[in-house]
Amino acid sequence: MKDDPFLNTLLEGAIAAARLAGHHALANFARRQEAVSRYAHDVKLKLDEECQQIIQAELATRFPDHAIVGEEDATIGGRLGTGIEWVVDPIDGTVNFSHGLPFWCCSIAALQKGKTLVGVVYAPALDVCYTARLGGGATCNGETLHVSPIAELSQSMVLTGLDKNPGKDLPPLALFQATSQHVQKARILGSAALDLCRVAHGQADAYFETGIYIWDIAAARLIITEAGGQEEILERLDQGRLRFMASNGLIHAAYKTLLLDTLQKR
Ligand code: IPD
Ligand code: CA
């Protein structure tokens, strides 16, 4: 798989699309508050939609037969059944972006039968581009990535996020509390895709979230495994929401046990 020309073509397309969208969002940073709709704990920005259109146009030009599923429109583009499906989150960390925090990214993955073949997570404001090809390793700005060597949960840094409907679903808070008690530090940074890449980079040791969607994780789950880590959908919830964890592999079993024990006790 290392030098598979088909995967290389997919990856080139994903990088090009992510860079076009990321640069558009950065160039239009002054418009970061322009909203299509606002919710209690979320916002949909005009730039979310514009970035998705840019990604869709680039992918459709390069791969006219492929299907495209995006956070801002779950039914767009392509012909289903062609085998390759692109899963796109045009801006992951939208709330961060709208406030001017630089921790946001464009996430693009090509899937076949639900398996990610290539993934790109590009964070323009941080100037980092994470990539992975199935069987071909993971990189950050061209440098090979490896997960951390931390083997004790008590020494670990764990990243997580809060569900967009925290009032409706309390497990995230219980899980955050339990996690905090057993790890060195738990953090909420606000972009699931970038959180996962930080685990792939060895800067954090695990990630967990309940209520995440496939477009949040489709690219970065491959970046994690190609960097030597482990990922797992623990449960499929309602409306496409997922209970998902990933880690450096070494603390995976211990952290999974902690999460499942906490959920069982509720
Ligand atoms: C959100 C971010 C956040 C996570 C949420 C996601 P969005 O994605 O990844 O970190 O906690 O669950 O929905 O809305 O910014 O694309
Ligand atoms: Ca997202």
Side-chain angles (χ1 to χ4, degrees):
M1 283 282 201
K2 213 170 167 102
D3 286 314
D4 184 312
F6 178 58
L7 294 192
N8 290 346
T9 307
L10 293 177
L11 189 57
E12 276 167 26
I15 293 171
R19 287 195 180 276
L20 283 172
H23 293 161
H24 179 74
L26 256 196
N28 287 276
F29 189 64
R31 294 175 48 225
R32 66 188 177 279
Q33 291 280 343
E34 282 180 21
V36 178
S37 32
R38 292 187 181 275
Y39 313 93
H41 304 287
D42 200 15
V43 61
K44 184 196 277 267
L45 300 177
K46 286 191 180 154
L47 283 166
D48 281 316
E49 293 191 343
E50 289 172 24
C51 287
Q52 178 151 309
Q53 281 156 14
I54 287 168
I55 293 168
Q56 184 187 356
E58 183 66 19
L59 294 177
T61 303
R62 288 173 181 252
F63 312 107
D65 285 343
H66 295 179
I68 307 174
V69 176
E71 175 170 15
E72 307 310 326
D73 179 354
T75 56
I76 56 173
R79 278 175 286 168
L80 288 168
T82 54
I84 303 292
E85 185 177 42
W86 290 90
V87 178
V88 172
D89 192 344
I91 301 181
D92 183 59
T94 293
V95 175
N96 282 355
F97 174 78
S98 74
H99 284 266
L101 267 176
F103 204 76
W104 56 274
C105 60
C106 307
S107 169
I108 303 181
L111 276 64
Q112 192 169 39
K113 294 182 183 159
K115 199 173 180 58
T116 304
L117 299 179
V118 304
V120 171
V121 172
Y122 176 49
L126 303 174
D127 194 25
V128 287
C129 185
Y130 292 95
T131 70
R133 274 174 313 160
L134 186 63
T139 66
C140 176
N141 291 353
E143 299 289 321
T144 301
L145 287 178
H146 297 288
V147 291
S148 74
I150 293 209
E152 298 297 327
L153 202 51
S154 60
Q155 299 304 307
S156 68
M157 162 81 85
V158 173
L159 306 179
T160 186
L162 282 184
D163 194 283
K164 286 177 180 176
N165 304 301
K168 271 169 55 183
D169 194 357
L170 286 173
L173 294 177
L175 292 162
F176 184 77
Q177 192 176 19
T179 298
S180 301
Q181 284 162 357
H182 289 86
V183 304
Q184 186 183 44
K185 200 59 85 176
R187 299 279 193 220
I188 296 179
L189 303 179
S191 162
L194 266 184
D195 288 348
L196 287 163
C197 290
R198 297 306 166 143
V199 177
H201 211 145
Q203 297 167 341
D205 312 300
Y207 166 85
F208 169 79
E209 192 160 345
T210 188
I212 204 82
Y213 293 89
I214 189 64
W215 43 76
D216 299 312
I217 61 167
R221 66 193 301 197
L222 179 67
I223 295 169
I224 288 259
T225 52
E226 289 295 328
Q230 203 173 331
E231 56 90 13
E232 191 170 357
I233 293 175
L234 297 176
E235 196 178 337
R236 292 178 189 276
L237 307 169
D238 59 336
Q239 297 172 347
R241 294 157 69 246
L242 303 168
R243 193 162 272 161
F244 176 82
M245 72 169 287
S247 74
N248 65 2
L250 300 173
I251 60 166
H252 201 90
Y255 190 43
K256 182 177 171 180
T257 301
L258 172 67
L259 293 172
L260 295 184
D261 283 354
T262 308
L263 284 168
Q264 248 176 15
K265 281 184 200 141
R266 290 189 73 253

